[in-house]
Every structure is written in structure tokens, then in C-alpha cells.
Amino acid sequence: MRPIKVTKVPPTPNGPIKYEVQYNEKDPLMHVADKWNWDRAQPCKRKGFCKGGRRTLQICRGSMECSNTKCPYRKIYQFPNRVDFTRSKTCMHCKVEPSHVNCSARKYVENDRCHKKLMVIYVGEHLCTPKANEAKPKKEEVENLLRTRPTITTGQMQIDKVREALLGDNNAQEIQDVAMQYSNKRHLQFLHTSINKKMRPGGSDIEAIRLMKDDFVKRGLDENLIMDIGEDSVILSSKQKLHLAALITIGQVTEPVSLDGCESHAKDYTEVEMTTYYPVLRRNVKLVSMFVPKPGENSENVAEMIRTFDAAVNEILPSVAREHGLNPDDFAGRGLDPHSYVGDEGGALWSGLCKAKGNDVKNKTVSDLFHIKQDIRRHLKYFKTDKDGHKFEQLMSDAYNATTSIHADEAEKALENLIIKRSTNVKKMNNFKIWWWRRRARWQKWCRTFSTSSASSAEVANSKSISASGYRKRLLDVVTTECSAAILEAAEIKRQVLGLRTVGRGPTAADREENLENEMFLDKEACVSAVEHIHEKANSMTDSLDSLTNIESAQKDYRVNVRDSHRADKRKKQSRNEKKQKEKDTRSVNKKQLKYFNKNVNDITMDVLECESGMTQFTFKILDTMGYLETVVLSKDSFRCSSPACKKNCHHLVWVFHNVFNFPKHEPLIYQKKCTLAEWQKIVESFPEKVPLSRLPKVRDQRYTVTVRDTKRDAKCAVCKKNLTYGDIQACMDGAYRTIHRAWIVRTFFFCPSINCITKMPRNSYVIPFCPSTMTLNFDSCLTLEQTRSIELPR
């Protein structure tokens, strides 16, 4: 047989044929692979073959083919399944064992290493099915995609690639080729997993960020974009932000620094940040931010962030001071040193600040007007009328705007009098008043030596960020987004250096100075009026002047609050009002209802077969203890049950509330038929993540068949209990049945051939009742024409 010279053997060659393949010294067997299903190669000697070579034989293993005529694959494609089989060698579509197609074809490979020749000989014709060609994406392509989008899933990868081709200028065939290339999700998952083992060791976002920081340094990027990485925390900043912090320290920028913790976009993480207003960019910028696992707003994390940031600022402080003609020794070791820190009343923030910078930093902490008003509004509910609440707001405003300690003390006395006479919770309001007045150096004008904005810049930045996008992301995505934002800020600063127009929309430095001058003018006018008032009434106030507190003592009396009353992640003590309300609710459940619960619900077992949940309605299908299938519907408008016996009281509803929503028997809500919006919200919040459903046996075909009873063993109709004997016409079907031992089995149900029987649900069962409009009744071929006509059913 004369050989055919080829570079590579064809995909599906049939023998007898002989190929001489171009020899490749590095990998001789690279071009001998084809699409047939060969068995393992075994040595095979031949007389006259070179002893320095290797000759092997492979026998075709054949293929599998599903011989089931009712297989869905055969019904749809009109040919048997030859591809989709499970590891247990059953058809993936009908679970039937396939038949094996034997094949006697053989393949000889003669690798003559001495003479650099490679022969491939095929003997016999194949009767089996070859493997189909499959175009798969390359590993390098997937690796490049994961580099730019490290948290993308395989499903998103498939959709994005096809969408990119669909929205481009590709024709229909090119789009189909892309879809075919990325249709093998299992292969993409394999590539995704193997690449992530390198890019994300251990599957951790923190380790991925650590590798990203090393990559940034190798590529010559700003090493301060990811400033520090702990075991479970990340601190972010940038070179430009450090430069701005150094300008604040040397006094070239006089903006206050805001400190705040907020709900992060990163899932299961809290963000702690320091923010200020950049007068040249004309917007708020983050000096440094730290991502820590929830609940992360504590003093240790705040102190760690401030120490890390100060250490980085200290490295560039000498050079920045020299640039502005200042002595660098005057600023050595000061880190970020603004004239004031602004924030809320969270004690964790200020306690962490003191841990990092010492207790002297207390004199620089300021409460902004936004949080003062916020706390005032939270306590309006403790007054009897709206008029009293308005009076409370006015007195707190007078205390805030007091120009002297005399005015502040007058507002304090008036507030004490109002609390005693008109408050519904005197102890709560007295604690509020004491708590704020102990911190007067932070918020009252008469003892403050510097001013601040009406709201924390961090609070403003957080509100804008949350309103922009409220969904949660992976930490890796959030960190890359923050790094990108820092690089954009650097580009905006470079625009100004290159002489390009600025793009900020906030107030300019001149506008802010003008507003400050206006405020100072109003304060001076108020001070003049206060001096005139004191001069006119000096004699009447002589006795009270000795008891006034000056600025220095106010600063000394101030103590950092180490207990944060506004933290959402801390458990608060139950208030007395809540205890009274709970006791009231407990008393509202009478003895009759408790007796009803103990008799009909307590230690009663029912089967939940189906559950459909939504924000406006919950639907449950329950098989009760009597074997009847009932439907329980909970909605905002009313609670309903399909049982005709549940008109006044419904033990199905109470059972669902107690066993599914885990409400106690003393909860008055479970005995109601309607609910308020607050009670409905309580129901929605109590709905479990997973409802335990009963495991029902699988029934393939649930259809009703009319036939003649051919056994002498009697049966009863599953609905009306009428005896069915030998020769009677009957309707039968397979379905799930609950035994007396509460086990579910598959059972054949027999019915009278009547519309009244087969359209009803048998007891202790879960079947599909017959519906004339949607179901077809099957008649056995053994029925005569007279018997078919005698059946009172629609056909």
C-alpha cells in the first residue's frame, strides 16, 4: 500500500489507508490525533521495522447509543442520542442504559526515530460515531478578561462576549461562531478555576488585593493606591492625597477634616474614611479609607488607619515644607494635623483618634450642625405635643447659637424646665441634655475657637455615593473602583498643572471665604448685642456670674464618649416603653386563644407541600392531619384558608405562623384575620430563608386512564368510597400518597368514572385533579363502543 504524504492526519479517516506524516522531532505524535474513540496504545512489533523506533496498535472502543424509542432526544432530533451520557453510563435524557456499538477498526503508528519517519496505518471501516469538533476559548483570552474583571462569573463572561458581538458590526454567522465558542460553560468553569488559583489564592479577595498591590509596584504605579493590607482589612489612599494632607498640616489648606464610618458598597464590609474639601478641585475627596469586616467601626480600626496614614504623610512632609519655603523641622512627625476634625457623635471615632494622636486632639474635635439637628429630631417623640417639640427645637437652637456662656446657661435652664413639665420620659431627656452639655466645647459657639461647615464632608460624600448605586459588590471590585477614582483625581490635578480648565462644580475658595466673613460679621453683631445686654443688666446678674463656666474649664470638662449610641450594628437595651408594649401584647392573648392553640396547634404535625413567597403575598399548600389539602394565603389585606370549616378560627393559619414564621403562642398576630402595615412588615421580616418542605416521591406521568377492572380483588373509589369489582369501569392514575406512618409513597388511585370523583382531591394524597379544559382523558383500547358511551365524562 503506497503511503500518502500529509502534514496531519484527517479528522475521520477510514481504512485501509496509509499516511506518511511530516516528522516533528520535539513532539512526533502531535499530528497523528483524530476524532475516533481509540483505546490505549499498546506495543506491536513487526518484522523489518527499525529496532530504534516504536510501533504501537490502537483498537477502536466503539461508541454508545440510546436505543430507547421514547427518549426525548430521539423525539426532538429524530435520531438517537450518541453524545449525552452520565458517568454511570446512562442516557442523560431518559436515564436508560445505552447499547454499545462495537467497532473493529485498528490504527498502527510507526515512529521510526532513526530515519525520522512517521507512518500511520488505518485498517477497517468505523461503524461507531466520531467525536465532534469543538471550538473552545483559549486560556490566554480568559486570563486577560479575568485580569480586567477579576470577579466576573462564567455566566457573565458568556453573556458579555455574545453581547459584544451582537452590538458590534459582526454578521449572523460570526455571532453564531462566538456563541458556539463560549457555549461550553463547563470548560469555562475549568479555566476560571485554574486561573483563579493563581490570581486569588485560597479564593480570598484579600489575597487577590495583595497580589494586585505587588503588580502595581512592578508596573511602576503609585504604591500608595493600596497603602496597607492586613489579615482582613485594606487601607487605600494615593500620592496626591498624601500631598493634600501635607498641605493641610503646613497650613496651606485650611479645610477641616471629616471622620466617619459608613455602610460600604463591598458586601459584608464597613468603610471608615477621612474626607476633606479640596478647594482647587472644588469637591470632597477621600484622604484615606479603610475597609474592614462588619461591624468594623471601632476604635482599634480607626487608630490603625490614622497611624498608617500619618506614617505615609511624615515621609513627604519635609519635601512639601521646603517647596513652600518652610522649615521642615517644625513639622517633623506631625502627620496629618488639621485645625479641626468634624464628625458625628460616635465614640469609636473619637476614641480611635485619641489612641493614635493623644488626648490633646480632643480640643480639635467638632460636632457639625447636621448631627446635632439629627439627634434633636430623634428626641421629639418624648414630648407630649407638637408645640412642646417645637419649643425643644428652639431652645436647642438658642443654645447652639449662644454668643456667651450667659445665653447658653439661660437656654439650659429653660430646657430643664421644659423637660420636667412637658416630657413623657424625663429620665431619657435629662440624660440627653447632660450628654450634650458635657460636650459643649464641641458644638456651642460661645466656647468654640474655630468654625466648621454645617455638615460633615464625609457624610455628604457617603450620601452621594449611596444614592449613586446602592447594590453590594465584591471587595475586589470596590477596591479597584476606588483605585481608579484616585487615579482620576490625579489626572484632574494634572489638568490644572498643564493649563487646562478645571471641571469642579463646588464653591470656590473665594466663595467659602466670603461665606466665612459673612458668618463672622453676624457673630460680631451678635456679640455686640450680647455685650450691650450684659451692660444693661449687670446688676441683676452679679450673683450668677460666679457660677458661669469659662472656655478653658469647658474644654477640660469635655470627655470623649466611648459608647456610641448611634451604631446600627450594636444591640441596644430594650426600652421601658418596648417592655410595656410587649407586656400589653402578651396580656391581649386571652385564655381561650391559648386553649385553642394547645388543642389544635401544639404538637400537631402537618406537611408543607408548596410555598410561594413575595413581598405582598405568601401562599402555602398544606396537607393537614385529616388528609385534606388546604391552601393558606397571607397578604396585606387579609389571611385566607381554603377549608370551609375555617370560618371563624383557623388552626391552619395559626400552625403556619407558629411553625413556619416561628411566632410564639403569645403573639396576638397569629389569631387575626387581618393585619396593619407594621404587622405585615413584621411578617415579612420573620419569613425564613428556607421553608422545610415535605419530600414527595417523583411521579413521571400523572394522567387519568379509563379501563375495565380485570382483577377479582375489589377496590374502593378514592373519593366516594364506592366498591369497584371485577368487570366494572374505572378511572385510575398514579400519585403521591401519605401513609399512616407519615411516609410518602407512589400509589395507584382508583376512581368511579364520574366527573364528580376524578375532579376532587383524594385524602392523604397529592395528585393533580382532573380538569376538562386542560387535561385529556385516556381510554383503554379494551373498552367497547357501548362502554365508552356510557361514561359520563367529557371527551
Side-chain angles (χ1 to χ4, degrees), residues 608 611 620 622 655-663 686-688 691-692:
V608 182
C611 173
F620 302 90
I622 299 174
W655 188 90
V656 167
F657 277 125
H658 179 65
N659 290 277
V660 177
F661 292 88
N662 295 320
F663 285 120
S686 301
F687 186 73
V691 177

Side-chain angles (χ1 to χ4, degrees), residues 380-386 388-389 421-424:
L380 290 176
K381 60 183 178 181
Y382 298 113
F383 288 94
K384 296 179 180 178
T385 62
D386 294 339
D388 297 332
K421 292 182 178 180
R422 305 300 299 170
S423 176
T424 59

Side-chain angles (χ1 to χ4, degrees), residues 454-522:
S454 60
S456 165
S457 61
E459 199 77 29
V460 176
N462 292 341
S463 62
K464 289 182 178 180
S465 176
I466 293 297
S467 64
S469 58
Y471 61 93
R472 297 290 177 261
K473 308 174 185 176
R474 294 290 297 269
L475 176 64
L476 195 58
D477 286 335
V478 176
V479 169
T480 53
T481 303
E482 292 289 336
C483 292
S484 303
I487 294 174
L488 280 174
E489 287 178 5
E492 289 185 51
I493 296 172
K494 191 173 181 179
R495 284 176 59 90
Q496 298 160 0
V497 176
L498 295 175
L500 299 175
R501 186 180 178 87
T502 57
V503 294
R505 295 185 178 182
T508 62
D511 295 335
R512 293 169 71 84
E513 289 179 3
E514 184 179 354
N515 293 336
L516 182 60
E517 289 177 359
N518 293 335
E519 290 178 2
M520 291 293 292
F521 177 77
L522 295 175

Side-chain angles (χ1 to χ4, degrees), residues 258-262 297 341-350 365-368 370-372 374-375 378 435-436 439 442 455-456 458-459 462 558 561 564 566-567:
S258 297
L259 187 62
D260 193 18
C262 68
E297 190 180 339
Y341 288 96
V342 187
D344 57 16
E345 296 310 310
L349 299 176
W350 306 126
T365 57
V366 181
S367 293
D368 59 322
F370 169 79
H371 285 96
I372 296 173
Q374 186 184 58
D375 211 9
R378 283 173 177 156
W435 190 79
W436 271 104
R439 292 152 182 77
R442 289 177 60 183
S456 165
E459 199 77 29
N462 292 341
Y558 167 65
N561 176 29
D564 184 2
H566 305 316
R567 285 267 296 280

